[in-house]
Every structure is written in C-alpha cells, then in structure tokens.
Amino acid sequence: AQSVSQHNHHVILSEAASLELGCNYSYGGTVNLFWYVQYPGQHLQLLLKYFSGDPLVKGIKGFEAEFIKSKFSFNLRKPSVQWSDTAEYFCAVRGYTGGFKTIFGAGTRLFVKA
Amino acid sequence: DAMVIQNPRYQVTQFGKPVTLSCSQTLNHNVMYWYQQKSSQAPKLLFHYYDKDFNNEADTPDNFQSRRPNTSFCFLDIRSPGLGDAAMYLCATSRGDGGGSYEQYFGPGTRLTVT
C-alpha cells in the first residue's frame, strides 16, 4: 500500500541550528510532492512543492526540499531556524492508485528554543 | 482574501446524535476534500468531490456522508457519531485541472467532541 513516512515525530532545536526533516514515500510512478506547515493556532498551509524539473525546490521562509527519486525521499531543510519556525510539518505525496490521491505523513512537531 | 471557511470551529455532540459540519470556499476550486485527523496522526482522506462527482475512500465508514449542493459549499454528515469519531475534521480545496500543481488549501478545521 502507498504510504508516507516521516521519521522524526518531535524535533527540538535551538535558534540558528540547521534543520532537516525526513520524508520517504512508497508510491511508484510519477508523484507530486508537498510540504505543508501548521503554525500554532493556524490552519495547514503550503510550504513548498515539487511538480517537475529541478529536484531542489525552494519555498517560503528560507525552506527548501530535495527530491531524490532513487531514494523515494523529499527531505525538508533550512540552514538556520528561527523561533517562529515552531510548528508542525507534514509531508504529502500525490500519486496514482486507481485514481489520483494525496497521502499525508503523520507530521513532525518542531520546537525551536529562543 | 479568498479562503476556506469551516463552521463551527468546535462541535460537541452526543453519542449517536447526528451532526453536520460545514465548509465553504471563495476560491472557486472544483475539488473539495474532507479529512479526519486524530491526535498525532496524519490527516486521513474520507472523500472528495470533483465538481459534483463524489469519490469515497474505500475505508471510509458508511456512518460518514457528504453533500455538495454547489461549488462553494460542502457538508460532512456523521449519522451516528461514536466515541471513536472524535477528531479534527479538515476541509480542503484544490484546482482539479492541474493548475497550481494540485496544492490544497485548508480550512481551520472543526474539532468534534463526542460525549
């Protein structure tokens, strides 16, 4: 069955530390990849997406993600986190399984200490 | 601002008492989704509408129904809520033609409590 795995459920970092959140998926075929973010008290919103082309995509607020097809991965990175990056991050993959469907990972809660 | 609106934000219902959650959108997107999200879990797709076409997920219980009377509105009906149905219910929309690369726009969610 298709699945999306986020290996880190909780991450605690100090400000200015570098961030990498892992995301692996098990779809075959062509996929669209997304990272969504949910700040405290707010709704889910798109952080960045990969549709085609350059596998290194840049999103808002200095985030980037790299699609590595051979590893079925789409890891999220930021070189220097800020306190305001405290949020929950969800990886999502859209692929074809008898119809197009987007599956979400379980999320990673990031807490950045000031 | 164009947005996805969910009402109410918090809903308390009794075991077995039917409840309806609503979602509206001003984005004019032709796809609308309902997700169930329990604590520390991934949002789980219940069903979606592509225009008027209803697409149910195979593992969505029959207890969950949906209506979409027009482009802007979509409702989630839980016919006989059980304690296990307590969750956050998320509504989302997207363009169905590939424009915007299928990203989804989410509402704030309705937190359902079943007593």
Side-chain angles (χ1 to χ4, degrees), chain B residues 10-23:
Chain B
Y10 300 90
Q11 176 73 56
V12 180
T13 191
Q14 293 178 334
F15 183 94
K17 185 175 181 180
V19 65
T20 295
L21 309 182
S22 72
C23 177

Side-chain angles (χ1 to χ4, degrees), chain B residues 51-70:
Chain B
D51 292 323
K52 294 184 178 180
D53 293 333
F54 178 69
N55 298 273
N56 197 29
E57 293 298 303
D59 57 354
T60 297
D62 292 340
N63 197 27
F64 291 86
Q65 305 283 318
S66 186
R67 296 171 283 135
R68 189 180 186 185
N70 54 53

Side-chain angles (χ1 to χ4, degrees), chain A residues 26-37:
Chain A
S26 64
Y27 269 106
T30 302
V31 293
N32 306 132
L33 302 160
F34 308 86
W35 277 96
Y36 287 85
V37 61

Side-chain angles (χ1 to χ4, degrees), chain B residues 3 11 21-22 24 37 40 45 47 51 60 63-65 70-71 76 84 103 106:
Chain B
M3 59 177 58
Q11 176 73 56
L21 309 182
S22 72
S24 63
Q37 186 180 23
S40 300
L45 183 65
F47 25 59
D51 292 323
T60 297
N63 197 27
F64 291 86
Q65 305 283 318
N70 54 53
T71 300
L76 169 62
E103 69 179 88
F106 284 85

Side-chain angles (χ1 to χ4, degrees), chain A residues 41-43, chain B residues 5-11 88-89 107-112:
Chain A
Q42 297 187 27
H43 57 272
Chain B
I5 301 163
Q6 291 187 246
N7 286 305
R9 295 290 307 276
Y10 300 90
Q11 176 73 56
M88 179 72 84
Y89 290 88
T110 294
R111 183 166 295 283
L112 178 68

Side-chain angles (χ1 to χ4, degrees), chain A residues 37-50:
Chain A
V37 61
Q38 187 167 24
Y39 297 103
Q42 297 187 27
H43 57 272
L44 272 165
Q45 57 188 287
L46 185 72
L47 193 59
L48 50 76
K49 61 190 178 188
Y50 172 80

Side-chain angles (χ1 to χ4, degrees), chain A residues 9-10 32 34 36 38 41-46 49 51 88 90 94 100-107 109, chain B residues 9 33 35 37 39-43 45 48 57 59 88 90 98 100-109:
Chain A
H9 296 294
H10 294 89
N32 306 132
F34 308 86
Y36 287 85
Q38 187 167 24
Q42 297 187 27
H43 57 272
L44 272 165
Q45 57 188 287
L46 185 72
K49 61 190 178 188
F51 201 58
E88 189 159 16
F90 293 89
R94 179 180 181 274
F100 284 102
K101 181 176 176 179
T102 299
I103 294 179
F104 284 77
R109 287 184 183 270
Chain B
R9 295 290 307 276
Y33 309 81
Y35 290 88
Q37 186 180 23
S39 181
S40 300
Q41 295 184 22
L45 183 65
H48 74 276
E57 293 298 303
D59 57 354
M88 179 72 84
L90 301 172
S101 303
Y102 304 105
E103 69 179 88
Q104 295 184 23
Y105 293 75
F106 284 85

